[in-house]
Amino acid sequence: MGSEGAQRHVVVLTGAGISADSGVDTYRDAGGLWEGHRFEEVATPEAWAANRELVWRFYQLRRQKLAAVEPNAAHLALVRLERELAARGEGFTLVTQNVDDLHQRAGSTVLPMHGELSRLRCEACGSRPADREHLDEEDLVPCPDCGAVPLRPDVVWFGEMPYHLPEIEAAVARATHFIAIGTSGAVYPAAGYLSYARASGAWTACQGLAEPDNLDPRDAFFGGRASEAVPELVDALLADPPRV
Ligand code: APR
């Protein structure tokens, strides 16, 4: 059971499964292929250096798709959890591995550790403009600030350092409740936070269609689709007394 009475700090980590019910493909359920390319082939600094046009086309397609999807009940339930815990003077931190902007559009405060499709980045001057006017641009876009190189997607690729790690690690260290939603637990450092929170004494749980690779017998597991299970989980956390 959860730690009733103590000042709660709930940390939620989400993965592609929370956006699946909005129509966004996951990485490993959909076979992880795009036009015959594996993500690992396209989402790397080496691929960008070797074939910028291919990588740009891959990400432009994903950026365009974002405009066609909406946050689902799971995203909205996490906004409710954040606001209700704040009203009670309790802590909440949301971390996402996703690069879609569905948490942001739902109204959550979120730490996007793998970057954001809605941003571009200049590797020469570091500029990270939010960008929507170039969604349909087939050609590479020179950096508007320095012009030295074409802008790349502001997405963290395999082998690159994720964003917000110190802030995430501090939140996990003080979590009383840690819940991983819609993630296969296959990619680190994100997959390591579940055991780190458990070792720090937090109540730990996973929610997803399938048990994640990093699930431990000490973790609770809530099966099913996030859009149905996450609102129920939020109700249980906010019940008086909490049911988890
Ligand atoms: N509701 C809940 N969970 C779901 C749903 C759903 N409707 N559909 C799928 N899932 C679960 C799957 O069971 C799986 O555990 O979501 C998870 C999706 O796993 P992945 O596709 O591996 O996505 P994720 O864990 O977010 O990948 C992590 O890998 O490729 C990199 O950087 C990329 O951020 C990504 C990281």
Side-chain angles (χ1 to χ4, degrees):
M1 295 301 281
S3 47
E4 293 82 14
Q7 179 69 25
R8 294 185 299 184
H9 187 115
V10 179
V11 176
V12 173
L13 169 70
T14 63
I18 197 168
S19 298
D21 291 347
S22 295
V24 180
D25 287 343
T26 62
Y27 290 89
R28 290 167 185 81
D29 297 332
L33 287 180
W34 170 76
E35 290 193 353
H37 296 278
R38 292 201 54 72
F39 275 102
E40 286 78 359
E41 286 170 29
V42 183
T44 66
E46 294 76 17
W48 175 246
N51 190 339
R52 284 178 172 168
E53 287 72 14
L54 172 79
V55 176
W56 177 253
R57 191 157 54 86
F58 169 65
Y59 279 95
Q60 284 297 75
L61 190 62
R62 293 181 71 197
R63 281 160 32 91
Q64 290 153 18
K65 281 186 176 176
L66 268 194
V69 297
E70 295 293 330
N72 66 57
H75 297 101
L76 297 174
L78 293 181
V79 176
R80 176 162 59 94
L81 179 61
E82 174 182 357
R83 290 177 181 165
E84 185 53 37
L85 288 175
R88 300 179 189 188
E90 298 188 280
F92 179 79
T93 302
L94 175 61
V95 182
T96 190
Q97 300 172 88
N98 299 340
V99 293
D100 65 50
D101 57 354
L102 294 178
H103 282 305
Q104 294 88 331
R105 285 164 54 195
S108 285
T109 309
V110 61
L111 296 169
M113 65 185 292
H114 289 166
E116 299 171 85
L117 282 173
S118 60
R119 284 188 184 282
L120 299 175
R121 178 158 70 85
C122 175
E123 292 185 320
C125 72
S127 166
R128 291 177 59 211
D131 177 88
R132 293 199 179 286
E133 74 261 23
H134 292 106
L135 282 182
D136 300 319
E137 181 56 64
E138 296 211 348
D139 298 328
L140 294 167
V141 175
C143 173
D145 295 328
C146 76
V149 294
L151 293 171
R152 59 168 273 185
D154 190 21
V155 169
V156 177
W157 285 330
F158 290 97
E160 294 185 324
M161 183 66 74
Y163 290 123
H164 309 296
L165 294 186
E167 192 175 354
I168 295 168
E169 285 155 14
V172 173
R174 66 174 185 274
T176 57
H177 296 67
F178 180 90
I179 306 164
I181 297 172
T183 180
S184 59
V187 174
Y188 288 78
Y193 294 140
L194 180 64
S195 57
Y196 181 29
R198 188 184 321 115
S200 304
W203 174 81
T204 50
C206 293
Q207 193 289 315
L209 275 190
E211 292 191 354
D213 299 349
N214 58 344
L215 187 73
D216 178 281
R218 290 164 289 180
D219 304 329
F221 179 69
F222 300 91
R225 309 193 70 81
S227 57
E228 293 157 11
V230 174
E232 291 170 6
L233 191 48
V234 167
D235 290 343
L237 280 162
L238 295 178
D240 183 14
R243 295 195 294 274
V244 290

